[in-house]
PDB file of all heavy atoms in Angstrom:
ATOM      1  N   HIS H 308     -62.321 -13.780 -16.328  1.00  0.00           N
ATOM      2  CA  HIS H 308     -61.913 -14.857 -17.216  1.00  0.00           C
ATOM      3  C   HIS H 308     -62.649 -14.769 -18.568  1.00  0.00           C
ATOM      4  O   HIS H 308     -63.424 -13.811 -18.836  1.00  0.00           O
ATOM      5  CB  HIS H 308     -62.254 -16.217 -16.553  1.00  0.00           C
ATOM      6  CG  HIS H 308     -63.737 -16.420 -16.349  1.00  0.00           C
ATOM      7  ND1 HIS H 308     -64.450 -17.495 -16.872  1.00  0.00           N
ATOM      8  CD2 HIS H 308     -64.661 -15.654 -15.730  1.00  0.00           C
ATOM      9  CE1 HIS H 308     -65.725 -17.364 -16.603  1.00  0.00           C
ATOM     10  NE2 HIS H 308     -65.891 -16.270 -15.856  1.00  0.00           N
ATOM     11  N   ALA H 309     -62.403 -15.711 -19.425  1.00  0.00           N
ATOM     12  CA  ALA H 309     -63.124 -15.883 -20.694  1.00  0.00           C
ATOM     13  C   ALA H 309     -62.987 -14.714 -21.645  1.00  0.00           C
ATOM     14  O   ALA H 309     -63.831 -14.535 -22.544  1.00  0.00           O
ATOM     15  CB  ALA H 309     -64.635 -16.151 -20.372  1.00  0.00           C
ATOM     16  N   GLY H 310     -61.964 -13.895 -21.524  1.00  0.00           N
ATOM     17  CA  GLY H 310     -61.729 -12.790 -22.434  1.00  0.00           C
ATOM     18  C   GLY H 310     -62.405 -11.532 -22.062  1.00  0.00           C
ATOM     19  O   GLY H 310     -62.429 -10.546 -22.866  1.00  0.00           O
ATOM     20  N   LEU H 311     -63.027 -11.411 -20.869  1.00  0.00           N
ATOM     21  CA  LEU H 311     -63.715 -10.205 -20.477  1.00  0.00           C
ATOM     22  C   LEU H 311     -62.728  -9.034 -20.436  1.00  0.00           C
ATOM     23  O   LEU H 311     -61.625  -9.189 -19.853  1.00  0.00           O
ATOM     24  CB  LEU H 311     -64.339 -10.361 -19.111  1.00  0.00           C
ATOM     25  CG  LEU H 311     -65.625 -11.214 -19.032  1.00  0.00           C
ATOM     26  CD1 LEU H 311     -65.946 -11.576 -17.601  1.00  0.00           C
ATOM     27  CD2 LEU H 311     -66.791 -10.483 -19.703  1.00  0.00           C
ATOM     28  N   PRO H 312     -63.051  -7.882 -20.982  1.00  0.00           N
ATOM     29  CA  PRO H 312     -62.103  -6.727 -20.961  1.00  0.00           C
ATOM     30  C   PRO H 312     -61.904  -6.264 -19.527  1.00  0.00           C
ATOM     31  O   PRO H 312     -62.774  -6.359 -18.683  1.00  0.00           O
ATOM     32  CB  PRO H 312     -62.872  -5.681 -21.768  1.00  0.00           C
ATOM     33  CG  PRO H 312     -63.894  -6.390 -22.530  1.00  0.00           C
ATOM     34  CD  PRO H 312     -64.293  -7.560 -21.726  1.00  0.00           C
ATOM     35  N   LEU H 313     -60.747  -5.662 -19.304  1.00  0.00           N
ATOM     36  CA  LEU H 313     -60.391  -5.141 -17.974  1.00  0.00           C
ATOM     37  C   LEU H 313     -61.449  -4.113 -17.506  1.00  0.00           C
ATOM     38  O   LEU H 313     -61.848  -4.146 -16.347  1.00  0.00           O
ATOM     39  CB  LEU H 313     -59.018  -4.512 -17.992  1.00  0.00           C
ATOM     40  CG  LEU H 313     -58.586  -3.828 -16.681  1.00  0.00           C
ATOM     41  CD1 LEU H 313     -58.561  -4.800 -15.509  1.00  0.00           C
ATOM     42  CD2 LEU H 313     -57.220  -3.175 -16.849  1.00  0.00           C
ATOM     43  N   LYS H 314     -61.846  -3.238 -18.371  1.00  0.00           N
ATOM     44  CA  LYS H 314     -62.867  -2.238 -17.984  1.00  0.00           C
ATOM     45  C   LYS H 314     -64.134  -2.877 -17.474  1.00  0.00           C
ATOM     46  O   LYS H 314     -64.714  -2.418 -16.458  1.00  0.00           O
ATOM     47  CB  LYS H 314     -63.210  -1.336 -19.218  1.00  0.00           C
ATOM     48  CG  LYS H 314     -64.241  -0.334 -18.968  1.00  0.00           C
ATOM     49  CD  LYS H 314     -64.492   0.540 -20.222  1.00  0.00           C
ATOM     50  CE  LYS H 314     -65.554   1.634 -19.979  1.00  0.00           C
ATOM     51  NZ  LYS H 314     -66.892   0.968 -19.796  1.00  0.00           N
ATOM     52  N   THR H 315     -64.553  -3.950 -18.132  1.00  0.00           N
ATOM     53  CA  THR H 315     -65.767  -4.648 -17.674  1.00  0.00           C
ATOM     54  C   THR H 315     -65.557  -5.293 -16.282  1.00  0.00           C
ATOM     55  O   THR H 315     -66.434  -5.255 -15.416  1.00  0.00           O
ATOM     56  CB  THR H 315     -66.157  -5.735 -18.699  1.00  0.00           C
ATOM     57  OG1 THR H 315     -66.407  -5.114 -19.957  1.00  0.00           O
ATOM     58  CG2 THR H 315     -67.395  -6.457 -18.287  1.00  0.00           C
ATOM     59  N   VAL H 316     -64.394  -5.908 -16.109  1.00  0.00           N
ATOM     60  CA  VAL H 316     -64.101  -6.540 -14.815  1.00  0.00           C
ATOM     61  C   VAL H 316     -64.088  -5.525 -13.684  1.00  0.00           C
ATOM     62  O   VAL H 316     -64.644  -5.784 -12.585  1.00  0.00           O
ATOM     63  CB  VAL H 316     -62.769  -7.330 -14.866  1.00  0.00           C
ATOM     64  CG1 VAL H 316     -62.399  -7.875 -13.505  1.00  0.00           C
ATOM     65  CG2 VAL H 316     -62.803  -8.416 -15.923  1.00  0.00           C
TER      66      VAL H 316
END
Side-chain angles (χ1 to χ4, degrees):
H308 64 123
L311 287 165
L313 175 60
K314 178 177 180 293
T315 301
V316 176

